[in-house]
Amino acid sequence: MARMTMIEAIREAHDVAMAADERVVVFGEDVGFFGGVFRCTAGLQEKYGKSRCFDAPINESGIVGTAIGMAAYGLKPVIEIQFADYVYPAYDQIVSEAARLRHRSNADFTCPLVIRMPTGGGIFGGQTHSQSPEALFTHVSGLKVVMPSNPRDAKGLLLAAIADPDPVIFFEPKRLYNGPFDGHHDKPVESWKSHPLGEVPDGDGIVPLGKAAVRRAGAEVTVLAYGTMVFVAEAAAAETGVDAEVIDLRSLMPLDLEAIVGSVQKTGRCVIVHEATRTSGFGAELMALVQEHCFYHLEAPVIRVTGWDTPYPHAQEWEYFPGPGRVGEALKKVMED
């Protein structure tokens, strides 16, 4: 197995899929000659040509609309929205067309489309380059929503998304592109090259959608997290000494409810962590599901640790970012109740 950054793993997934199936095409703003703003598609145009990896105008609704038409006619487009914050002009296309195509055509048409986009903060991107809009898509029937936390899953989940016959929203936590991040911004940056999850299997190994992973086994409290927050949760558990079981959801829709319920029924306590704003965030859905399926096993109220209900602040980035201090406080509180 090769050691890779998440950027390299995503690029590798594109390469494997494009080599295996000539219907796979890749495009978006600057993804061709330039290789993408984060270089996730570097080298693909040179290898596969301008008809399979190409640049698109700066028009998100046009990019998504074109990709939907291509998917309906049998191609398998993998498109990049340069930042998740830029997806809103294309939201109507995604919700009204891509998500509905199978149902409105009685399955005469499908939409095998993958929409990749960097998400989240931690890089001083300010309010227009740091948003986490995953809840806007988990609410829409017909879409699948994925967020890997490491290179190994990034490659396997992207291959699964490309193989899927329905549209998949593929969020990439950009703070994790080059290494794991536990929320301690004042510590030296760690590289994926020295992390176990930086080892990426060769070939076309798929990580199935809808399957969570236990990143840290524990008996006292379940922590539900995804993306960057997986590493923050692990750090908080280590620093507080709470025997927390950290579940990396990986796939938000479909959701591995069985893994969630099994863990919470075992521990009797639950903390939910995400970077997105609190109100109507995906954590609210997770909390409702835990209450619904695990009520008689709970020893304490479920606690959420999230971003604020404000635009992402540039000057107070690390107060907004749910770091190990805030998560640790929640772990200690849930153990006291």
Side-chain angles (χ1 to χ4, degrees):
M1 290 192 293
R3 287 191 171 272
M4 300 182 184
T5 66
M6 188 181 286
I7 291 171
E8 292 167 335
I10 290 167
R11 187 187 306 145
E12 172 82 0
H14 282 91
D15 191 12
V16 169
M18 294 176 79
D21 189 343
E22 64 180 9
R23 295 174 300 167
V24 178
V25 294
V26 176
F27 65 100
E29 298 166 15
D30 295 323
V31 307
F33 177 80
F34 192 60
V37 68
F38 293 103
R39 303 297 189 272
C40 290
T41 56
L44 296 179
Q45 185 178 90
E46 182 179 2
K47 184 172 183 178
Y48 294 101
K50 293 181 180 179
S51 64
R52 294 191 63 198
C53 180
F54 54 90
D55 297 320
I58 303 175
N59 186 322
E60 286 75 20
S61 63
I63 293 169
V64 173
T66 300
I68 293 169
M70 295 168 78
Y73 276 90
L75 296 176
K76 304 182 78 171
V78 183
I79 62 174
E80 177 182 294
I81 303 296
Q82 200 167 81
F83 288 86
D85 315 62
Y86 300 167
V87 75
Y88 303 115
Y91 192 70
D92 179 50
Q93 296 277 9
I94 296 169
V95 172
S96 301
E97 304 297 336
R100 312 296 188 208
L101 190 58
R102 173 186 288 276
H103 302 276
R104 72 191 300 178
S105 70
N106 196 28
D108 285 342
F109 293 93
T110 59
C111 192
L113 162 66
V114 179
I115 304 176
R116 295 180 37 248
M117 44 186 144
T119 191
I123 64 166
F124 291 104
Q127 62 183 356
T128 59
H129 295 78
S130 305
Q131 297 172 56
S132 299
E134 63 271 8
L136 298 178
F137 297 96
T138 58
H139 183 71
V140 179
S141 299
L143 297 179
K144 296 175 181 176
V145 182
V146 177
M147 191 183 300
S149 68
N150 59 81
R152 185 180 299 176
D153 284 349
K155 179 183 175 181
L157 289 169
L158 184 52
L159 286 171
I162 295 171
D164 199 276
D166 292 307
V168 180
I169 309 298
F170 195 90
F171 287 106
E172 300 164 8
K174 51 187 173 287
R175 180 66 207 221
L176 300 182
Y177 270 149
N178 291 302
F181 179 64
D182 64 6
H184 289 294
H185 61 280
D186 51 349
K187 288 170 53 178
V189 176
E190 184 180 352
S191 170
W192 283 119
K193 302 295 185 179
S194 59
H195 194 282
L197 291 173
E199 293 185 344
V200 179
D202 300 327
D204 58 354
I206 283 177
V207 174
L209 305 184
K211 292 294 183 182
V214 178
R215 297 298 176 202
R216 183 186 192 277
E220 293 183 327
V221 55
T222 297
V223 181
L224 304 180
Y226 51 91
T228 309
M229 294 300 109
V230 172
F231 300 99
V232 173
E234 288 181 325
E239 291 165 20
T240 59
V242 175
D243 188 16
E245 181 153 285
V246 177
I247 306 291
D248 180 354
L249 297 179
R250 302 197 292 192
S251 174
L252 308 186
M253 189 62 64
L255 184 68
D256 193 348
L257 184 59
E258 182 179 356
I260 294 170
V261 171
S263 180
V264 175
Q265 287 184 350
K266 177 182 70 174
T267 65
R269 292 175 171 82
C270 183
V271 171
I272 297 166
V273 188
H274 64 63
E275 191 177 343
T277 52
R278 181 181 181 88
T279 300
S280 299
F282 191 63
E285 177 67 19
L286 293 172
M287 179 180 283
L289 288 170
V290 170
Q291 288 286 113
E292 180 181 351
H293 293 276
C294 307
F295 181 80
Y296 293 107
H297 293 81
L298 288 172
E299 302 291 340
V302 180
I303 296 178
R304 284 179 292 171
V305 185
T306 71
W308 299 335
D309 285 338
T310 69
Y312 210 116
H314 185 274
Q316 287 84 36
E317 174 124 30
W318 301 118
E319 285 74 24
Y320 181 100
F321 190 93
R326 287 172 58 194
V327 177
E329 290 173 7
L331 292 176
K332 290 184 284 188
K333 181 174 177 8
V334 80
M335 293 303 300
E336 294 168 356
D337 290 339

